[in-house]
C-alpha cells in the first residue's frame, strides 16, 4: 500500500470507457501497453450497447461524404465545425469497412448488399443497422477484435475517480476497482471515452453509467469544455415509470407510427402539418406541451407496423412486453427524455484537449460535428471515426511524452466515499429536468443554479454523485449564458435564434466561477504543444 493506494500500474496509455469510442481507441493502439477501464462488463456498459437505429455512413450507391456532410451541417444550427464534419463523413466509410472486415453482421437485403435505411433529415438511405440492436453489434465486434490484441489490460467494474495532473500534464488516473482496491494507473497518455450525461436528468434513455464523469474529470484537471447547453431530448421514450426510459426508435415513426392523444387525435397534426418526421427537438417540445396541458401522448403503430412489430423492432417490442404492453394491439404511452449530449470536452480534430497528455473521444468529447443538434445515427459514427483518430494521435505523440520523474502524487480521496448520496442525486436530477430540460427560462436556470449549490453541498469529491453535480452546474451555466434558442437549446424567454449568438460557448476553469469564452463555429481550438 503506497500513500493510501492499493496498487500502482504503469502503461503507455490509459483509456477510460469501453463503449464504441474507447474500444476503437484501444483497437488502434495495438502493441502498446493500454489499461482500459469501464464501470461495467465489456459490451454491456455505457450508451453504445443501447444504440438501436444504426450508424450513418456514405457507403450506398450515389451517396457521397459531401452529401452526408451537407445533411449533418443542415441540422446543426450553424454551430458545427465544417472541418470536423468533413473528416467524419470522409473517414466514415473506411471505419465501417473495417467493422465489416472484423465480422460485424449488419442487415442485408435479398441480393446480399447492405440494407441501408433512411432516417429523418438524411437525404439518402445511409444507415447501416443490425435490426434495432446496432450498438450491441458494434461493441460485440470491437470487443471480439480486441480479445486478440497484445498489451491490453481490461479492468471491468473499475471507476475512474480523478485524473492525475503533474506539471500541467495529465499523467494518470486514480480508479476504484471492483474489489474495492484504490489503484493509480500511471500513463504517458490519458484518454477520456466516458460517454454522455443523460443521468443528470431524471427522465432519460441513458443507462446508469452515463453520469457525465468524463466532463467532471476533465474540468477538475483544468480542461476547457464546449457547447454544454446542447442536450438532445428524444421525443419517444416509453413512459411507464422505468429508469432508464426504454427508447422507441425514430424508425417507428419512419415506418408510419403516429403520435396520438388518449382520444386518438393526432398530437402534431394541427400545429405541424409535416407531422411525425419533424426534427427531434420540435417533436419533443410538442409532446412536452401536450403533457403540460394534461394530454398524454401515445405512439400508435397498430395500423402501420402492426403484426410485423416483433420482427422489425425486437428491442422496442421486448421493452413494451416487459411492461405489459402489446404495441400490435395498444397505443404505447410515450414522453420525451434526455438522450444525447452534443457538448463535451473541447477537442481538436485528433481529439486533443486543452490539457496536454489528455485526449477525448465519443460522446464525452465535443469534436464540433454536431453543433447545436445531432443528426440521427451520427454519434456511433463519431465514436468510431474519432476513436481511431485519437489512437493515431496518441501513438504519434507517445515518443515525445516522457514519463514524469518519480511517482506523481494521486489526488486525495474522500474518506467518506460511502456516504449515501441517493437523495441528493435524485433531487439534482429532478431539478435539472424541471428547470434545465426541454424548455428553459432565465429565471428557472437561476433558480436551478442556486438550488444546485444546496443540493450538492457535502457530496464527497471524486464520487459519481459529485461528478453529476459538477456537470449539472456547468450545463446550467452554459444554458444561462446562451440568451437565444438554437437547435436543442430552447429558451422560452428568448424563443428566437439570434445571429449574434452564432458562436460556441466555452467554459474554462477559473478562480471561483467558470470563465465563459466564445468562439466562432469553424475556428479550431487553441491547444498547447504536446511534446
Ligand atoms: C437508447 C439509446 C439509443 C441510441 N441509438 C443510437 C443510434 O441508433 N445511433 C447512434 O449513432 N447513436 C445512438 N445513440 C447514442 C450513442 O449510443 C452514443 O452516443 C455512443 O454510443 C457513445 O459512445 P461512447 O463510446 O462515447 O460512450 P458509451 O458507449 O456511453 O461508453 C462510455 C463508457 O465509459 C465508461 N465510464 C463512464 N464513466 C466512467 C468512469 N468514471 N470510470 C470508468 N469508466 C467509465 C462506461 O462504463 C462505458 O464503458 C443512442 C443512445 C441511447 C442511450
Amino acid at each position: 500500500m503506497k500513500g493510501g493506494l492499493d496498487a500502482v500500474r504503469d502503461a503507455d496509455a490509459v483509456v477510460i470507457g469501453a463503449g464504441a469510442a474507447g474500444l476503437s481507441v484501444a483497437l488502434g493502439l495495438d502493441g502498446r501497453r493500454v489499461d482500459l477501464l469501464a464501470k461495467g462488463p465489456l459490451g454491456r456498459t455505457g450508451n453504445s450497447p443501447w444504440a438501436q437505429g444504426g450508424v450513418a455512413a456514405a457507403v450506398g450507391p450515389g451517396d457521397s461524404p459531401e452529401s452526408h456532410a451537407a445533411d449533418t451541417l443542415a441540422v446543426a444550427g450553424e454551430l458545427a465545425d465544417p472541418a470536423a464534419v468533413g473528416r467524419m463523413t470522409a473517414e466514415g466509410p473506411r471505419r465501417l469497412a473495417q467493422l465489416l472486415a472484423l465480422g460485424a453482421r449488419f442487415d442485408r437485403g435479398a441480393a446480399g448488399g447492405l440494407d441501408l435505411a433512411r432516417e429523418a433529415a438524411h437525404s439518402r438511405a445511409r444507415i447501416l443497422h443490425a435490426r434495432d440492436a446496432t450498438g450491441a453489434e458494434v461493441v460485440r465486434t470491437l470487443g471480439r477484435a480486441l480479445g486478440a490484441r497484445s498489451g491490453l489490460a481490461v479492468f471491468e467494474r473499475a471507476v475512474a475517480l480523478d485524473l492525475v495532473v503533474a506539471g500541467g500534464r495529465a499523467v494518470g488516473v486514480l480508479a476504484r476497482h471492483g474489489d474495492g482496491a484504490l489503484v493509480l494507473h500511471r500513463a504517458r497518455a490519458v484518454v477520456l471515452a466516458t460517454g454522455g450525461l443523460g443521468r443528470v436528468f431524471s427522465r432519460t434513455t441513458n443507462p446508469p453509467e452515463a453520469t457525465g464523469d468524463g466532463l467532471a474529470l476533465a474540468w477538475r484537471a483544468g480542461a476547457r469544455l464546449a457547447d454544454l447547453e446542447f442536450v438532445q431530448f428524444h421525443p419517444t421514450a416509453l413512459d411507464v415509470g422505468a429508469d432508464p426510459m426504454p427508447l422507441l426508435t425514430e424508425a417507428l415513426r419512419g415506418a408510419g407510427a403516429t403520435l396520438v392523444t388518449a382520444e386518438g387525435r393526432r398530437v402534431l397534426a394541427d400545429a405541424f402539418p409535416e407531422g411525425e418526421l419533424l426534427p427531434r427537438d420540435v417533436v419533443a417540445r410538442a409532446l412536452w406541451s401536450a403533457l403540460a396541458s394534461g394530454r398524454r401522448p401515445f405512439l400508435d403503430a397498430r395500423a402501420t407496423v402492426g403484426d410485423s412489430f416483433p420482427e422489425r423492432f425486437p428491442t422496442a417490442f421486448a421493452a413494451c412486453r416487459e411492461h405489459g404492453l402489446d404495441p400490435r394491439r395498444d397505443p404505447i404511452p410515450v414522453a420525451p427524455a434526455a438522450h444525447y449530449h452534443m457538448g463535451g470536452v473541447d477537442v481538436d480534430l485528433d481529439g486533443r484537449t486543452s490539457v496536454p497528455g489528455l485526449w477525448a473521444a465519443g460522446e464525452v468529447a465535443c469534436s464540433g460535428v454536431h453543433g447545436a443538434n445531432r443528426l440521427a445515427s451520427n454519434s456511433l459514427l463519431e465514436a468510431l471515426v474519432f476513436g481511431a483518430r485519437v489512437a493515431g494521435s496518441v501513438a504519434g505523440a507517445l515518443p515525445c511524452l516522457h514519463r514524469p520523474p518519480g511517482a506523481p502524487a494521486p489526488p486525495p480521496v474522500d474518506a467518506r466515499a460511502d456516504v449515501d448520496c441517493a437523495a441528493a442525486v435524485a433531487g439534482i436530477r429532478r431539478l435539472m429536468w424541471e428547470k434545465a430540460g426541454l424548455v428553459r427560462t432565465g429565471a428557472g436556470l437561476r433558480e436551478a443554479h442556486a438550488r444546485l449549490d444546496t443540493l450538492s453541498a457535502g457530496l464527497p469529491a471524486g464520487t459519481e454523485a459529485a461528478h453529476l453535480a459538477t456537470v449539472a452546474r456547468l450545463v446550467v451555466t452554459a444554458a444561462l449564458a446562451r440568451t437565444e434558442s438554437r437547435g436543442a437549446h430552447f429558451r422560452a424567454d428568448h424563443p428566437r435564434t439570434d445571429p449574434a449568438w452564432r458562436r460556441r460557448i466555452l467554459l474554462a476553469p477559473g478562480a471561483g466561477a467558470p470563465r465563459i469564452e466564445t468562439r466562432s463555429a469553424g475556428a479550431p481550438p487553441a491547444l498547447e504543444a504536446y511534446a
Side-chain angles (χ1 to χ4, degrees):
M1 182 125 149
K2 277 186 190 172
L5 296 170
D6 295 301
V8 178
R9 288 183 52 85
D10 283 308
D12 294 322
V14 55
V15 179
I16 314 173
L23 294 173
S24 297
V25 176
L27 195 63
L29 285 172
D30 187 23
R32 310 286 180 167
R33 285 182 309 152
V34 176
D35 282 1
L36 179 67
L37 315 184
K39 280 183 176 175
L42 225 59
R44 284 190 279 136
T45 167
N47 282 342
S48 296
W50 295 65
Q52 296 186 4
V55 49
V59 295
D63 200 358
S64 68
E66 292 74 23
S67 163
H68 186 182
D71 292 345
T72 302
L73 290 168
V75 301
E78 298 188 297
L79 280 196
D81 174 0
V85 172
R87 290 288 164 93
M88 179 180 77
T89 58
E91 294 176 21
R94 209 180 320 147
R95 293 279 74 86
L96 268 301
Q98 182 193 22
L99 265 189
L100 287 163
L102 291 172
R105 291 180 307 227
F106 293 121
D107 293 343
R108 293 183 176 273
L114 286 167
D115 175 28
L116 299 173
R118 183 167 171 187
E119 283 183 344
H122 283 278
S123 58
R124 301 201 176 254
R126 62 166 70 100
I127 316 298
L128 292 88
H129 51 93
R131 294 206 284 174
D132 65 351
T134 309
E137 181 61 14
V138 168
V139 290
R140 188 192 65 79
T141 305
L142 292 171
R144 207 180 40 191
L146 270 179
R149 296 291 155 126
S150 58
L152 177 69
V154 178
F155 299 90
E156 297 178 330
R157 299 187 185 82
V159 180
L161 309 175
D162 223 338
L163 302 186
V164 186
V165 178
R169 252 185 57 199
V171 293
V173 176
L174 183 68
R176 176 84 63 191
H177 284 203
D179 59 3
L182 193 60
V183 179
L184 174 61
H185 295 260
R186 291 190 300 203
R188 289 188 282 160
V190 177
V191 181
L192 293 169
T194 48
L197 54 49
R199 306 295 297 181
V200 167
F201 299 88
S202 56
R203 294 170 80 80
T204 180
T205 61
N206 289 193
E209 300 82 40
T211 42
D213 294 11
L215 297 172
L217 295 176
W219 182 253
R220 286 165 60 83
R224 205 165 39 225
L225 310 181
D227 298 351
L228 289 196
E229 66 276 30
F230 294 116
V231 177
Q232 187 170 73
F233 297 89
H234 199 287
T236 55
L238 186 59
D239 188 19
V240 286
D243 181 20
M245 294 167 75
L247 180 78
L248 297 172
T249 168
E250 216 140 41
L252 276 160
R253 281 176 286 132
T258 52
L259 289 160
V260 296
T261 62
E263 297 75 36
R265 277 205 299 280
R266 296 281 288 273
V267 177
L268 298 173
D270 296 344
F272 304 103
E274 303 96 315
E276 271 66 15
L277 292 181
L278 282 160
R280 262 181 202 175
D281 56 307
V282 180
V283 179
R285 278 195 298 276
L287 297 195
W288 168 280
S289 303
L291 280 162
S293 63
R295 289 175 300 140
R296 194 171 187 204
F298 294 81
L299 188 65
D300 189 349
R302 291 174 298 176
T304 45
V305 183
D307 286 341
S308 69
F309 205 118
E311 168 61 22
R312 291 171 71 187
F313 302 103
T315 306
F317 186 72
C320 291
R321 296 304 290 151
E322 199 179 312
H323 296 281
L325 297 164
D326 185 345
R328 294 168 299 187
R329 321 260 170 269
D330 314 308
I332 321 161
V334 290
H339 184 57
Y340 180 80
H341 193 207
M342 274 72 75
V345 186
D346 190 29
V347 293
D348 72 359
L349 295 177
D350 291 323
R352 300 188 310 167
T353 74
S354 58
V355 173
L358 181 65
W359 281 255
E363 193 168 337
V364 69
C366 187
S367 64
V369 297
H370 307 298
N373 223 343
R374 172 187 71 125
L375 183 62
S377 291
N378 265 356
S379 36
L380 280 176
L381 182 68
E382 180 197 18
L384 295 170
V385 167
F386 287 93
R389 292 188 67 84
V390 163
S393 176
V394 168
L398 279 177
C400 319
L401 292 173
H402 303 295
R403 207 179 292 287
V413 178
D414 199 311
R416 300 165 303 129
D418 56 355
V419 171
D420 186 2
C421 306
V425 167
I428 292 170
R429 295 182 66 203
R430 254 193 326 271
L431 178 69
M432 289 299 285
W433 177 254
E434 285 162 11
K435 304 294 177 192
L438 270 152
V439 176
R440 301 163 170 172
T441 62
L445 290 165
R446 276 188 291 276
E447 183 190 332
H449 210 275
R451 284 174 56 195
L452 278 171
D453 284 345
T454 317
L455 282 164
S456 55
L459 291 176
T463 56
E464 207 173 74
H467 293 329
L468 186 129
T470 300
V471 172
R473 207 175 294 110
L474 294 171
V475 169
V476 168
T477 302
L480 249 179
R482 186 170 288 283
T483 48
E484 64 154 359
S485 294
R486 184 183 292 271
H489 168 74
F490 183 78
R491 288 274 304 253
D493 51 347
H494 296 279
R496 291 190 197 293
T497 300
D498 178 353
W501 260 119
R502 202 187 148 203
R503 298 185 69 74
R504 300 172 65 189
I505 292 178
L506 308 164
L507 299 184
R515 211 171 58 243
I516 298 176
E517 303 165 0
T518 68
R519 188 167 75 218
S520 73
L527 302 182
E528 309 233 350
Y530 267 45

